[in-house]
Amino acid sequence: MKRIFLALLMLALLAGCAAKPVAAPPGETKTAAADTAVQTWPRQVKDADGKMIEIKAKPMRIHTLSVGYDEITMRLVGPERFAAVGTSTVNPAYSNIAEQAKQVKAQIGRKSEDVLAAKPDLVVASPFANKDLVKQLKEAGLTVVVTDLQDSMDGHAANIRYLAYLYGEEAKGEALVKEVNDRLAKLDAVVGKKAQRPKVMSLSDTLNAPGQNTTMDGIIRRAGGVNAAAEAGIKGWQIISLEKVVELKPDVIIVTDHQVGQKDIGAELMAQPSLQSVPAIKNHKVISMPGRLVSTLSPWNVRGAEELAKLLWPEDFKDVQFADFK
């Protein structure tokens, strides 16, 4: 009898343990089954330093130190769960969600006193955030997660799933991942068939060009172009000379749209005597694109790739209307 009693007790304990869901860490939330763990707290996540950060409860007052993260967060949780947004996020020159962000009452700068005053229960920082600010916020006792996410077109699914896990919104995260993948698949279905692709170069007003391992490189490739800088072995963002532009012979040059008071980069390049032999200049293929689509660390880069594809392949996309992320 004693043995039977002990066996029954063990079965009851095991059943109780099995009934308690365990939150799946980022990277393991790709199936519908993982959504059953969405409300399981506390949960832990590894930050950029390799430390495990505990999120004690579902965060309801979120603040991020990145416009791109704000754009993802807005899709996952809506304005009601923001403690504050950065001032750049309400500026349409830099942000793709400026109008939605204006619904958040607290619009603050990147000062520790401003962030503390907003009383967030979770702060999310990108690897590019000000390290002194992050240190001050941690020392003040805030829960701060510094992500180890990459500035890459190919990293959107991981970025989304990571933030969705932090917020307890895995199902919404998976819906956004699916939308991103579906839109990229539609692009690939058209431009993937192109045998001859134009050489494309992106240039800033200081002749800073993105090469390999940059978001812009991914945008150019997914739009059906060849990144002339990456092809030449340039890695990251590098300042190049006018002579280098002539040497690389891009068919298309991309500049981001200029703001009030900023130089018209495209016009200056078109007027540069030393560039007149460059195919992009000779054939008037200097294209202006919204900077907010190509500089952000969010799925809005996909919109940048879609817009560039329309410019590179106008006949293929003449009847296509690409929608914004909602």
Side-chain angles (χ1 to χ4, degrees):
M1 281 296 292
K2 185 176 181 180
R3 289 181 179 179
I4 295 173
F5 173 77
L6 288 174
L8 291 172
L9 179 60
M10 287 299 295
L11 285 172
L13 288 172
L14 288 171
C17 290
K20 183 179 179 180
V22 178
E28 297 180 12
T29 55
K30 300 180 182 180
T31 65
D35 294 340
T36 60
V38 72
Q39 297 301 330
T40 304
W41 304 93
R43 55 180 55 178
Q44 292 188 329
V45 67
K46 185 180 291 186
D47 73 358
D49 297 325
K51 297 178 181 178
M52 296 304 295
I53 307 297
E54 183 177 79
I55 314 296
K56 294 182 179 179
K58 187 171 184 176
M60 303 304 293
R61 294 185 57 79
I62 301 164
H63 180 59
T64 94
L65 302 180
S66 161
V67 174
Y69 286 3
D70 278 346
E71 290 173 349
I72 299 173
T73 303
M74 186 65 73
R75 170 65 179 262
L76 296 177
V77 305
E80 60 274 9
R81 283 176 62 189
F82 276 79
V85 292
T87 52
S88 294
T89 304
V90 295
N91 186 337
Y94 306 108
S95 169
N96 295 288
I97 58 164
E99 290 305 311
Q100 291 170 282
K102 288 175 183 176
Q103 299 177 48
V104 180
K105 185 176 180 180
Q107 299 165 16
I108 62 177
R110 300 291 192 224
K111 294 181 179 180
S112 59
E113 54 266 31
D114 294 334
V115 177
L116 291 170
K119 299 180 179 179
D121 53 19
L122 175 64
V123 176
V124 185
S126 80
F128 315 106
N130 183 293
K131 288 179 172 54
D132 288 336
L133 173 59
V134 170
K135 183 173 180 287
Q136 291 167 8
L137 297 178
K138 287 183 176 180
E139 289 176 346
L142 293 184
T143 300
V144 181
V145 174
V146 181
T147 69
D148 191 21
L149 308 183
Q150 300 303 310
D151 183 9
S152 166
M153 273 285 287
D154 300 324
H156 288 315
N159 294 3
I160 293 165
R161 287 184 173 122
Y162 190 99
L163 294 181
Y165 177 76
L166 287 180
Y167 305 152
E169 297 295 346
E170 287 90 334
K172 290 181 180 179
E174 288 306 310
L176 181 52
V177 167
K178 183 179 185 304
E179 181 178 349
V180 167
N181 290 340
D182 287 349
R183 291 171 76 145
L184 288 174
K186 288 178 181 178
L187 267 186
D188 292 343
V190 176
V191 304
K193 301 174 183 176
K194 303 295 182 181
Q196 298 294 322
R197 300 180 177 226
K199 291 177 67 174
V200 181
M201 176 174 282
S202 175
L203 289 173
S204 73
D205 57 343
T206 59
L207 295 185
N208 211 353
Q212 301 169 17
N213 305 320
T214 62
T215 297
M216 195 66 213
D217 178 48
I219 289 172
I220 291 170
R221 286 188 288 105
R222 297 312 286 258
V226 174
N227 185 356
E231 188 181 47
I234 293 173
K235 296 180 180 180
W237 285 82
Q238 291 187 28
I239 294 176
I240 63 174
S241 64
L242 290 175
E243 291 76 15
K244 192 68 175 178
V245 178
V246 174
E247 176 190 330
L248 296 182
K249 298 182 176 63
D251 300 303
V252 176
I253 293 176
I254 301 170
V255 297
T256 55
D257 55 357
H258 60 281
Q259 308 302 320
V260 176
Q262 184 179 342
K263 294 184 294 185
D264 187 337
I265 308 165
E268 287 196 359
L269 291 172
M270 289 292 296
Q272 181 61 241
S274 63
L275 297 181
Q276 296 309 303
S277 65
V278 174
I281 302 297
K282 189 163 49 178
N283 298 319
H284 299 276
K285 293 289 187 179
V286 178
I287 295 172
S288 179
M289 290 189 64
R292 66 182 182 275
L293 293 179
V294 298
S295 62
T296 186
L297 185 64
S298 86
W300 282 86
N301 298 148
V302 177
R303 283 290 291 115
E306 290 169 343
E307 288 304 309
L308 180 56
K310 288 184 71 171
L311 294 168
L312 296 181
W313 312 103
E315 288 303 310
D316 295 277
F317 293 98
K318 63 182 179 181
D319 297 322
V320 178
Q321 294 295 323
F322 292 109
D324 288 339
F325 285 94
K326 298 297 185 183

